[in-house]
Amino acid sequence: MRIDILTILPELLESPFNHSIIKRAIDNKLIDIVVHNIRDYSTNKQRQVDDYAFGGGAGMVMTIEPIHRIIEKLKQERKYDEIVFLTPDGVRFNQQIANRFSTLQNIIILCGHYKGVDQRVRDHLITCEISIGDYVLTGGELAAAIITDCIVRLVPGAISDETSALSDSFQDYLLAPPVYTRPADYNGWTVPEILLSGNHTDIEDWRYEKALERTKKLRPGLLDGKID
Ligand code: ADE
């Protein structure tokens, strides 16, 4: 799988992909993440990638030209399954979308900035618009890091314990049950007895009950299949 990220701030994406599970997935060639600086595709002397909004108003707008140029170049090199634009007014990202994206071959992620991007980019160049939540970031880079992280850990082989990605919160519309590790007694704060019993059927039943309890309390909508 390959993810191409288009940004005017590539530096912001250096660290998130250089550690732990994502780095290992890249090193093991399970995933290729390529960050492109949109400025490199500007024909402008000042490498300008934004301009004033037609009709006036505050804030600069990202221009279509360098974005079109880079997307066309990438599309000539390979076929893309999705070209995603990150924006607070997009479809809310969730585990189901992450699952679907993790099955794709090639994805482009375009990070928005400033007041927005020329509407013609949205109308003609991209295939879907995604938001990571109802709040406004300074740009799409952190959202791109979050989405990429979610996708990569679902790629087979990225996580050493294959089953653990599947038992995550949200995979089955249930929040995850509590987990404990040693010591069994810390400061008098003890681990539930059942987890020390060695009875795997009882432990699974207990985990399911706890997951249900947590979901009812914190996210009751999930039980009706509502991910919001
Ligand atoms: N860019 C700015 N805010 C964003 C958000 N909430 N989700 C995705 N991209 C964004």
Side-chain angles (χ1 to χ4, degrees):
M1 176 182 206
R2 172 175 166 132
I3 302 179
D4 290 272
I5 303 177
L6 319 184
T7 168
I8 56 165
L9 287 171
E11 303 82 9
L12 266 181
L13 289 164
E14 273 163 22
S15 176
F17 306 139
N18 250 321
H19 305 278
S20 182
I21 290 169
I22 308 231
K23 181 178 187 318
R24 206 171 51 228
I26 294 170
D27 291 347
N28 292 340
K29 308 220 174 321
L30 297 175
I31 174 111
D32 203 4
I33 301 172
V34 187
V35 178
H36 306 266
N37 189 343
I38 297 171
R39 281 186 205 284
D40 293 343
Y41 293 80
S42 167
T43 48
N44 190 290
K45 250 205 195 112
Q46 290 79 39
R47 307 214 313 150
Q48 197 178 338
V49 287
D50 60 337
D51 213 329
Y52 296 102
F54 278 130
M60 303 293 273
V61 178
M62 286 172 78
T63 55
I64 188 168
E65 210 189 349
I67 296 171
H68 189 204
R69 197 168 292 125
I70 183 168
I71 288 177
E72 280 308 303
K73 175 183 168 277
L74 290 171
K75 277 167 71 176
Q76 273 165 24
E77 291 167 1
R78 67 195 63 74
K79 188 182 170 314
Y80 283 90
D81 305 295
E82 290 284 7
I83 302 177
V84 182
F85 175 52
L86 295 178
T87 174
D89 56 359
V91 172
R92 184 102 51 85
F93 188 65
N94 60 29
Q95 193 63 43
Q96 272 67 47
I97 299 175
N99 291 347
R100 184 172 74 78
F101 281 2
S102 75
T103 65
L104 303 179
Q105 271 306 304
N106 300 303
I107 307 175
I108 293 174
I109 298 178
L110 169 64
C111 305
H113 252 271
Y114 308 121
K115 199 177 171 193
V117 64
D118 189 306
Q119 181 61 34
R120 289 165 294 185
V121 170
R122 301 173 76 158
D123 291 345
H124 302 290
L125 303 183
I126 62 150
T127 59
C128 70
E129 304 190 334
I130 299 275
S131 161
I132 60 160
D134 287 344
Y135 41 81
V136 181
L137 302 165
T138 55
E141 285 73 16
L142 298 182
I146 285 170
I147 286 174
T148 304
D149 188 288
C150 282
I151 297 171
V152 172
R153 62 189 294 286
L154 294 169
V155 171
I159 292 184
S160 43
D161 178 357
E162 288 277 333
T163 56
S164 84
L166 292 174
S167 58
D168 289 337
S169 287
F170 301 111
Q171 280 296 12
D172 46 11
Y173 293 93
L174 280 181
L175 300 185
V179 291
Y180 299 85
T181 186
R182 283 183 289 190
D185 185 336
Y186 179 75
N187 254 350
W189 301 327
T190 54
V191 166
E193 205 54 47
I194 189 144
L195 295 177
L196 312 174
S197 69
N199 184 330
H200 292 292
T201 314
D202 285 358
I203 290 172
E204 278 317 301
D205 288 348
W206 179 87
R207 286 187 169 145
Y208 179 71
E209 277 310 312
K210 287 290 163 191
L212 207 56
E213 219 174 81
R214 261 191 180 178
T215 312
K216 271 185 193 155
K217 187 166 167 219
L218 299 170
R219 297 289 303 277
L222 285 178
L223 297 172
D224 305 322
K226 287 201 284 281
I227 206 95
D228 281 349

